[in-house]
Amino acid sequence: MALFTKTKQRVIRLIYVLGLSVSALHAQTLTVALQDEPTAIDPHYQSFTPNVQLAATLFDPLIRKNSQSVAVPALAQSWQVEGNIWTFHLRPNVQFSDGSPFTAADVVYSYERVFKIRNSPSSYALYLNQVKSVVAVDEHTVQIETDGPAPVLLANLAMIPILSQRLAQQEGLAELGQAPLDHRKTLAGTGPYQLDHWHKGTELVLTRNPYYWADEPPWSRVIFRPIPDGHKRVEALVTGVVDIIEAPPVADIARLEKMPSIFIQKMPSLRLLYVSLNQGPDLPEGMKNTNGANPLSDQRVRKALSLAIDREALVQTVMQGIAQAAGNLLSYPNFGTSERFALAPLPDLDQARELLKQAGYPRGFTLSLGAPVGRYRNDEQLAQAIAQMWAQIGVEVQVELFTPALFFKQRDQYAFSSYLSGWSAVTGEMSNPLIALTMTPDPALGQGITNWSHYSNPRLDELIRQAMRTLDEDQRAMVLEEAAAEVLTDYGILPILFELSTWAMKQSIRYDGRVDQFTLPQDVYPNH
């Protein structure tokens, strides 16, 4: 589908205004059914898709990613780089939602705050790990010095929303590292909407930001309703309770497509669903019949588990075609991927059994597989299907299912032998999942922030660091391909599939979708 341009959006809005009175247009409310509720409004607390997409509506970064994950100007209207010094020229006359002016000091404060957040489940420091210093040259100029070349700096800065330093100081929170902060007064942003109220578990209501610097969004009021159950989201749409829903269940898509009142939007995504294996020296939780050793620390066992998974069967049966079998951490031909891993590995049960025998587990062993219920499309069914596939090679699996919030808490405490989870490579290049999911964890540097497997590979770490120092794009792509090959052939992580993004909505509106799977109400427009 062709990209929906800003010019086309303005034309549609103009037609819409001509057909309705201004008062009727401004009275409109958009109601969105969310697959998952944010864990916090604080935009620096946790790098978690529901949080990030909400932040993209309430706040602005210096650089924004468009629907195809390409960096475009936001609060910075232009920039240039000389060596390791990046100079950003900020938009003049931008105001926060309380009417206070946006300045370079807010950028400095926001970037410094990221590193002060304590106990973040998934730190935003990942996106600033190459930033050495941030200086306000004047009210509308910021200079960033990087620790060596920083080829993906723009993509990373797109992930850091800007908060008001003045409001933080006014509330006595300027130096506070504890998060999340969910106070409406403190969390003023420069985005198209501002927070009205949040009743957790029920609704999160936004209203237009009267001081927004860009085009006025089409809806005066936005209501987010968290409905984790996919079938209940569909029911809410069909009965008119909501206007648009995220991720309709694959079993319902064919039925919805036949309904004249409903429109379905599909597009590829950057989200990987993967299995992580606890490879620590100690026996993981849920592990049995191993003679005291951890079988997952053996590459042959990890390879056997991968070979037991029929990814294409998962796509066709569990996902009913609304997915793509994964052979890499990012789908080919995104930046840093290679054709070598473009296709998912084929299952081979005989080879898998032989590898287990060679590793000393001819009769297999027992492990636990943790998974969320309702966080990803058909996540529960995927976990159960993978468990059945592992059972075919003699590995007995105890599937442990939790609500998303409890699952992530348990995962972060290494409570599973293995777990099924997801990662959205919002920067659109291989360095993002490699740094987050596979590097040896170092929270201070933003490395391995979502590596809860004890996997550590010094050669992989060095290849990733080399890629992040390489400005030449062809060379950087080659190094990233080598780094991906290192972790994939070591079976340090098992890619399973890439989700396809889908939205269902009333025929009276349209949303063209995004590869990062965000649902941004400012980009939903009337279909008249």
Side-chain angles (χ1 to χ4, degrees):
M1 174 177 286
L3 286 179
F4 180 68
T5 65
K6 190 170 251 187
T7 300
K8 180 180 175 184
Q9 188 172 0
R10 290 194 183 106
V11 169
I12 289 177
R13 287 178 185 168
L14 177 59
I15 293 172
Y16 189 56
V17 171
L18 291 175
L20 293 173
S21 70
V22 174
S23 61
L25 175 63
H26 282 248
Q28 283 202 345
T29 296
L30 177 73
T31 304
V32 182
L34 298 177
Q35 182 179 9
D36 249 323
E37 187 172 28
T39 59
I41 298 170
D42 188 321
H44 299 154
Y45 174 61
Q46 181 183 8
S47 183
F48 176 53
T49 296
N51 297 17
V52 176
Q53 76 173 19
L54 176 61
T57 298
L58 298 175
F59 307 93
D60 286 312
L62 286 188
I63 311 297
R64 185 178 296 285
K65 303 299 287 294
N66 68 12
S67 63
Q68 299 299 307
S69 202
V70 176
V72 295
L75 290 178
Q77 61 183 359
S78 64
W79 54 87
Q80 66 259 8
V81 57
E82 294 183 13
N84 297 336
I85 304 297
W86 296 67
T87 303
F88 293 88
H89 303 284
L90 309 183
R91 293 184 187 276
N93 305 317
V94 174
Q95 295 172 279
F96 288 97
S97 56
D98 70 332
S100 61
F102 157 70
T103 70
D106 300 305
V107 179
V108 176
Y109 162 70
S110 298
Y111 287 1
E112 290 179 347
R113 181 176 186 264
V114 165
F115 291 97
K116 296 178 181 178
I117 301 297
R118 297 189 295 271
N119 304 319
S120 169
S122 184
S123 173
Y124 281 82
L126 162 70
Y127 305 108
L128 296 177
N129 59 8
Q130 287 189 281
V131 173
K132 188 175 181 180
S133 66
V134 185
V135 176
V137 177
D138 56 44
E139 283 200 346
H140 294 98
T141 309
V142 172
Q143 278 193 347
I144 295 178
E145 181 181 2
T146 58
D147 187 9
V152 294
L153 180 67
L154 295 180
N156 284 336
L157 295 185
M159 294 300 296
I160 310 297
I162 305 302
L163 291 176
S164 167
Q165 181 187 41
R166 186 190 67 82
L167 283 178
Q169 290 174 334
Q170 181 177 303
E171 298 294 320
L173 300 171
E175 299 304 319
L176 186 63
Q178 187 64 41
L181 301 178
D182 290 332
H183 306 295
R184 178 182 175 186
K185 290 191 299 182
T186 308
L187 294 176
T190 62
Y193 286 95
Q194 60 184 340
L195 176 66
D196 184 272
H197 66 268
W198 183 16
H199 295 152
K200 289 189 177 182
T202 304
E203 66 176 16
L204 195 158
V205 178
L206 313 178
T207 56
R208 280 196 189 105
N209 175 2
Y211 300 101
Y212 186 47
W213 55 272
D215 289 346
E216 182 180 75
W219 316 101
S220 62
R221 192 166 178 260
V222 174
I223 302 174
F224 287 124
R225 296 198 185 281
I227 307 179
D229 185 288
H231 299 296
K232 290 182 179 178
R233 286 198 301 278
V234 169
E235 181 183 358
L237 175 65
V238 172
T239 58
V241 174
V242 301
D243 301 308
I244 179 171
I245 67 173
E246 299 179 319
V250 292
D252 290 327
I253 289 179
R255 176 173 67 91
L256 290 172
E257 287 180 321
K258 296 176 182 177
M259 299 178 65
S261 61
I262 303 297
F263 178 77
I264 301 289
Q265 174 70 309
K266 303 176 187 176
M267 70 182 305
S269 82
L270 298 173
R271 183 182 299 285
L272 167 76
L273 295 188
Y274 64 92
V275 167
S276 189
L277 306 171
N278 190 333
Q279 301 162 48
D282 299 325
L283 202 63
E285 294 287 336
M287 188 80 74
K288 299 176 183 177
N289 305 322
T290 67
N291 299 319
N294 180 4
L296 301 180
S297 63
D298 190 319
Q299 186 261 8
R300 293 169 296 184
V301 173
R302 301 195 298 269
K303 182 176 181 179
L305 293 173
S306 180
L307 288 170
I309 299 174
D310 189 337
R311 292 159 174 82
E312 285 293 346
L314 293 175
V315 168
Q316 297 307 318
T317 57
V318 178
M319 306 302 289
Q320 298 184 33
I322 310 297
Q324 175 186 343
N328 208 333
L329 305 185
L330 192 61
S331 60
Y332 181 80
N334 280 291
F335 189 87
T337 62
S338 65
E339 196 169 2
R340 175 185 174 189
F341 298 102
L343 300 178
L346 297 175
D348 190 328
L349 298 182
D350 289 337
Q351 185 183 0
R353 296 187 187 103
E354 178 60 28
L355 285 168
L356 288 182
K357 182 179 178 181
Q358 292 175 11
Y361 304 98
R363 289 183 293 275
F365 51 89
T366 298
L367 56 71
S368 62
L369 174 64
V373 177
R375 173 66 192 97
Y376 311 106
R377 177 170 281 142
N378 289 4
D379 41 20
E380 177 181 358
Q381 295 91 327
L382 276 174
Q384 298 285 6
I386 291 170
Q388 292 172 14
M389 292 174 178
W390 282 351
Q392 294 181 81
I393 61 171
V395 176
E396 182 181 345
V397 183
Q398 298 174 346
V399 178
E400 300 185 15
L401 303 170
F402 298 90
T403 62
L406 187 53
F407 163 77
F408 288 116
K409 182 178 180 180
Q410 295 281 87
R411 179 202 68 176
D412 296 357
Q413 296 172 352
Y414 298 96
F416 310 117
S417 310
S418 62
Y419 63 82
L420 173 73
S421 192
W423 182 261
S424 183
V426 291
T427 62
E429 78 158 63
M430 180 61 77
S431 60
N432 180 270
L434 283 173
I435 293 171
L437 302 178
T438 70
M439 287 192 83
T440 303
D442 188 336
L445 297 177
Q447 297 174 356
I449 61 163
T450 315
N451 177 0
W452 300 100
S453 68
H454 292 294
Y455 180 70
S456 179
N457 183 329
R459 183 172 184 272
L460 171 67
D461 291 348
E462 180 51 39
L463 284 169
I464 297 172
R465 283 192 286 265
Q466 179 184 340
M468 300 316 295
R469 295 191 297 262
T470 303
L471 285 175
D472 182 276
E473 291 209 345
D474 290 338
Q475 292 183 19
R476 187 167 86 257
M478 290 177 60
V479 178
L480 288 173
E481 290 175 22
E482 187 178 355
E486 176 68 23
V487 70
L488 293 170
T489 55
D490 195 29
Y491 298 89
I493 188 172
L494 307 184
I496 304 299
L497 56 84
F498 300 109
E499 286 188 348
L500 292 183
S501 301
T502 55
W503 293 264
M505 64 205 77
K506 294 178 178 179
Q507 282 286 359
S508 59
I509 64 174
R510 286 292 185 270
Y511 184 59
D512 296 320
R514 296 175 58 92
V515 295
D516 55 24
Q517 298 188 310
F518 294 170
T519 305
L520 303 184
Q522 62 265 37
D523 293 336
V524 179
Y525 57 96
N527 180 39
H528 290 276

